[in-house]
Amino acid sequence: MVELSRKQREMERRTQEILRVAKPILVREGFHALSMDRVAAAMEYAKGTIYNHFPHKEEIVLALAIESMALRRKLFHAAAALDAPNRVRLMAIGCACEFYTQHCSEDFAIEQWIRNVNVWDKSSAARQDLIRRCEGECVSIVSSVVHSGVASGELVLNQALTAEEFVFGFWAITFGSQILTASSPSLAAVGILDPRRAIRIHCCTLLNGYRWQPIMETDEYLTRVDELSTSIQSEFDRVRVEHYTA
Amino acid sequence: MVELSRKQREMERRTQEILRVAKPILVREGFHALSMDRVAAAMEYAKGTIYNHFPHKEEIVLALAIESMALRRKLFHAAAALDAPNRVRLMAIGCACEFYTQHCSEDFAIEQWIRNVNVWDKSSAARQDLIRRCEGECVSIVSSVVHSGVASGELVLNQALTAEEFVFGFWAITFGSQILTASSPSLAAVGILDPRRAIRIHCCTLLNGYRWQPIMETDEYLTRVDELSTSIQSEFDRVRVEHYTA
DNA sequence: TGAAAATTTTGACATCGCGTCAATAATTGA
DNA sequence: TCAATTATTGACGCGATGTCAAAATTTTCA
């Protein structure tokens, strides 16, 4: 029915509005500051109405995380779609990770909330499923590049690792370095001043260690990543803007 | 004065008792469940008395994290003290990380709380300093092994990376994989069934990529890490038990 | 159209946790 | 012994959560 559909659209529109109100509170003032009362006040609705959309604030957080992860997936997709050698496409996905952390820092911060047990356990199976699927798709995008590399003979994966386990290494080092950079109290004090550069070098060395062709020297790699990062920036920007305006 | 000192000792004893009560609540039921009222009730003191020891629960969490990180440092120290080639000592530190995550899982979980901005920002500069120092010491232990490797000629670090930046790569990949393993919803679904093994392989490849001598093949490395892990287990256990009984 | 039925919104309410602080209890010093 | 000092207590104000009966609004259908 048209009427029902209109109501559903209105409902959906307000759900989105709740998320728009909640996001800056969560990002700028933290989970604690995000209260149903406050969201309701900001929207000029009663608290009960907000509870009609989300059973608790954890569900709001997961809904926000789903949007954030969708943006990540789009960036990964754009990077993998590059018309370039497979190793370069993998580098481009690395650039996507860097772009996401730096220029979509709110989304990066929101994404981390899904790792909080309290948030995760309290939220609905439906949203948990969406998260799982999106994360799986991100891994798939990367592993498809790895599969291409194997298919084209640029990379030989002996029986020791599957493509997904190969990806896991880069996932871990990228994710780990970004979390540590964002949250480690002693990083600068200990002499790690440019963690991004360090990790780029490690990724290059790891790829060389697996003999992914063409082998690149550190300096060459750093230069190429810089160029790649610059050249792909506008495409990433386009994806981001489109994501936010949609 | 003896009297004053006795009082101080009693105060200190009770501070410890608070931590002993708080730890299982935090670990098993989460930050939210850890309330001052509950700690007070469990200890049969009034809430105000607990507030004489800690100004808020975040400070309790940081105090617990300091203990947990001290245990990590001891394990790192034990691993680095091994009478073995430098590359093997580095492997042993990797084993220490694995041991810590698996067999000191409560401490591993507590450690992560320091990365929560709300917890971190709320806590005292004194405890923040202790955390920073301990983390710095952990990095130092690892980088001293790297320095040994460089000094003995087993590893050539060109001007691209400092020893600390070198360490950062292994820190990131180890930390990242352990967080992902503990909290990533899609890991198993995506086909990463033995993340620890995958990361061991990645670390081996990375070390080989940097040509840290002696170069090891994957299979040889996996076997040696298994042996090493088994042989060093009892030492780690000793360190852990001593830490808990102290 | 209009009135009954269904749906949505509202905000008061019970409950719980935080952090404070004046009152109370315990300890110390002389 | 008693005044002074120090430590403990728990009631209190505040703010957040999640619920639910009452009120308001929308839909249905004669």
Side-chain angles (χ1 to χ4, degrees):
Chain A
M1 250 204 264
V2 172
E3 294 306 298
L4 255 183
S5 158
R6 183 177 62 77
K7 279 194 115 179
Q8 284 174 338
R9 276 203 313 277
E10 263 179 29
M11 199 73 175
E12 177 55 29
R13 206 189 49 71
R14 202 164 47 189
T15 297
Q16 287 304 316
E17 203 186 334
I18 291 173
L19 296 181
R20 295 293 72 73
V21 166
K23 188 171 177 176
I25 300 178
L26 177 62
V27 166
R28 288 208 267 275
E29 301 174 59
F31 185 74
H32 181 72
L34 176 63
S35 77
M36 294 306 227
D37 278 300
R38 195 164 158 194
V39 171
M43 292 183 60
E44 296 186 299
Y45 277 111
K47 185 166 41 167
T49 303
I50 311 299
Y51 275 96
N52 278 351
H53 292 261
F54 296 98
H56 34 66
K57 62 179 182 168
E58 285 80 2
E59 196 76 17
I60 296 183
V61 172
L62 225 69
L64 284 171
I66 287 167
E67 292 188 343
S68 295
M69 292 180 73
L71 172 56
R72 177 188 284 278
R73 193 195 50 216
K74 289 176 193 169
L75 291 172
F76 275 34
H77 187 79
L82 213 66
D83 183 19
N86 292 312
R87 182 159 169 168
V88 174
R89 291 202 293 145
L90 203 68
M91 287 160 60
I93 294 175
C95 291
C97 286
E98 293 176 1
F99 180 90
Y100 186 74
T101 310
Q102 282 171 38
H103 299 105
C104 316
S105 54
E106 304 195 339
D107 296 276
F108 178 71
I110 287 172
E111 245 187 12
Q112 307 318 321
W113 281 106
I114 68 162
R115 306 194 180 281
N116 182 300
V117 195
N118 301 304
V119 172
W120 181 259
D121 286 352
K122 218 173 171 185
S123 49
S124 67
R127 285 213 165 81
Q128 287 180 359
D129 247 29
L130 281 172
I131 295 264
R132 260 189 290 263
R133 192 165 318 159
C134 193
E135 196 174 78
E137 282 165 11
C138 285
V139 174
S140 283
I141 291 171
V142 191
S143 62
S144 77
V145 175
V146 175
H147 278 123
S148 293
V150 171
S152 71
E154 294 155 10
L155 171 69
V156 177
L157 271 185
N158 57 29
Q159 73 295 350
L161 287 181
T162 66
E164 283 74 21
E165 288 166 339
F166 183 87
V167 170
F168 182 58
F170 292 88
W171 185 8
I173 196 169
T174 306
F175 170 78
S177 68
Q178 288 172 348
I179 297 292
L180 290 176
T181 303
S183 74
S184 205
S186 75
L187 221 58
V190 108
I192 299 159
L193 302 174
D194 191 349
R196 195 185 67 177
R197 181 172 159 281
I199 294 304
R200 284 178 173 182
I201 293 173
H202 283 294
C203 284
C204 168
T205 309
L206 193 52
L207 287 171
N208 287 343
Y210 283 112
R211 323 234 123 267
W212 190 317
Q213 302 303 316
I215 300 288
M216 295 185 198
E217 287 306 309
T218 302
D219 288 341
E220 182 197 350
Y221 184 88
L222 288 178
T223 310
R224 294 200 58 177
V225 173
D226 261 338
E227 288 168 8
L228 181 61
S229 180
T230 308
S231 71
I232 209 171
Q233 186 95 5
S234 63
E235 173 66 7
F236 287 158
D237 264 326
R238 202 190 56 70
V239 171
R240 194 191 72 200
V241 170
E242 188 185 300
H243 173 84
Y244 283 142
T245 53
Chain B
M1 250 204 264
V2 173
E3 293 307 297
L4 256 182
S5 156
R6 182 178 62 78
K7 279 194 116 179
Q8 284 174 336
R9 276 203 313 277
E10 265 179 25
M11 199 73 175
E12 177 55 28
R13 205 190 48 72
R14 201 164 48 189
T15 297
Q16 288 303 317
E17 202 185 336
I18 291 173
L19 296 180
R20 296 291 74 74
V21 166
K23 188 170 177 176
I25 299 178
L26 177 61
V27 166
R28 288 207 268 274
E29 301 174 59
F31 185 73
H32 182 73
L34 177 63
S35 77
M36 293 305 227
D37 279 298
R38 194 166 158 192
V39 171
M43 292 182 62
E44 294 187 302
Y45 277 110
K47 186 167 39 168
T49 304
I50 311 299
Y51 275 96
N52 278 350
H53 293 260
F54 296 98
H56 34 66
K57 62 178 183 168
E58 284 81 1
E59 197 76 17
I60 296 182
V61 172
L62 226 69
L64 284 171
I66 287 167
E67 292 187 345
S68 294
M69 292 180 75
L71 171 55
R72 178 188 283 276
R73 192 193 52 216
K74 289 176 193 168
L75 291 172
F76 276 35
H77 188 80
L82 213 66
D83 184 18
N86 291 313
R87 182 160 170 169
V88 174
R89 290 202 293 146
L90 204 68
M91 288 159 59
I93 294 174
C95 292
C97 286
E98 292 177 1
F99 180 90
Y100 185 73
T101 310
Q102 282 171 38
H103 298 105
C104 317
S105 55
E106 304 195 338
D107 296 275
F108 178 72
I110 286 171
E111 246 187 9
Q112 308 318 323
W113 281 106
I114 66 161
R115 306 194 179 281
N116 182 301
V117 194
N118 301 305
V119 172
W120 181 259
D121 286 351
K122 219 173 171 184
S123 50
S124 67
R127 286 213 165 81
Q128 288 180 359
D129 248 29
L130 282 172
I131 296 265
R132 260 190 289 264
R133 192 165 318 157
C134 193
E135 197 174 79
E137 282 166 10
C138 285
V139 174
S140 284
I141 292 171
V142 191
S143 61
S144 78
V145 175
V146 174
H147 279 122
S148 294
V150 172
S152 72
E154 294 156 11
L155 170 69
V156 177
L157 272 186
N158 55 29
Q159 73 295 350
L161 287 181
T162 66
E164 283 74 19
E165 289 166 339
F166 183 87
V167 170
F168 182 57
F170 292 88
W171 186 6
I173 196 169
T174 307
F175 170 77
S177 68
Q178 287 172 348
I179 297 293
L180 289 176
T181 303
S183 73
S184 205
S186 73
L187 221 58
V190 108
I192 299 159
L193 302 173
D194 190 348
R196 194 185 67 178
R197 179 173 160 280
I199 294 303
R200 283 178 174 182
I201 292 173
H202 284 294
C203 285
C204 168
T205 309
L206 193 51
L207 288 171
N208 287 343
Y210 284 111
R211 322 233 123 268
W212 190 317
Q213 304 300 318
I215 301 288
M216 293 185 199
E217 288 305 311
T218 301
D219 288 343
E220 181 197 351
Y221 184 88
L222 287 177
T223 310
R224 293 200 57 177
V225 172
D226 261 339
E227 288 168 9
L228 181 60
S229 179
T230 309
S231 72
I232 209 171
Q233 185 96 7
S234 63
E235 173 66 7
F236 286 157
D237 264 326
R238 203 189 56 70
V239 171
R240 194 190 73 200
V241 170
E242 189 185 300
H243 173 84
Y244 283 142
T245 52

